[in-house]
């Protein structure tokens, strides 16, 4: 996923309560109306807790979390 798309997802997730599990992130994005291709990218996230939307965006963009 490119950094522009990752930034869009970060913006979408700003109202989700974090830390969040992968399934919560995908469910929230789907309920928000995120397109199917982007939701598929979210399903590819590693299974774990995410601290905040920025961490999700970094993982999607291919950056290692800090």
């Amino acid at each position: 996923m490119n950094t522009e798309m990752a930034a869009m997802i970060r913006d979408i997730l700003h109202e989700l309560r974090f830390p969040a599990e992968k399934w919560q992130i995908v469910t929230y994005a789907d309920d928000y109306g995120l397109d199917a291709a982007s939701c598929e990218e979210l399903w590819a996230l590693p299974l774990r807790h995410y601290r905040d939307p920025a961490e999700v965006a970094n993982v999607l963009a291919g950056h290692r979390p800090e």
Side-chain angles (χ1 to χ4, degrees), residues 7-48:
M8 180 192 72
I9 289 175
R10 182 189 65 232
D11 292 341
I12 289 169
L13 296 177
H14 78 280
E15 291 187 24
L16 178 62
R17 176 174 269 171
F18 281 86
E21 296 281 344
K22 174 180 147 176
W23 70 267
Q24 294 170 302
I25 293 165
V26 176
T27 301
Y28 182 85
D30 187 50
D31 288 348
Y32 180 87
L34 190 65
D35 64 277
S38 297
C39 282
E40 189 173 315
E41 293 278 346
L42 289 174
W43 275 115
L45 285 168
L47 187 61
R48 66 175 203 220

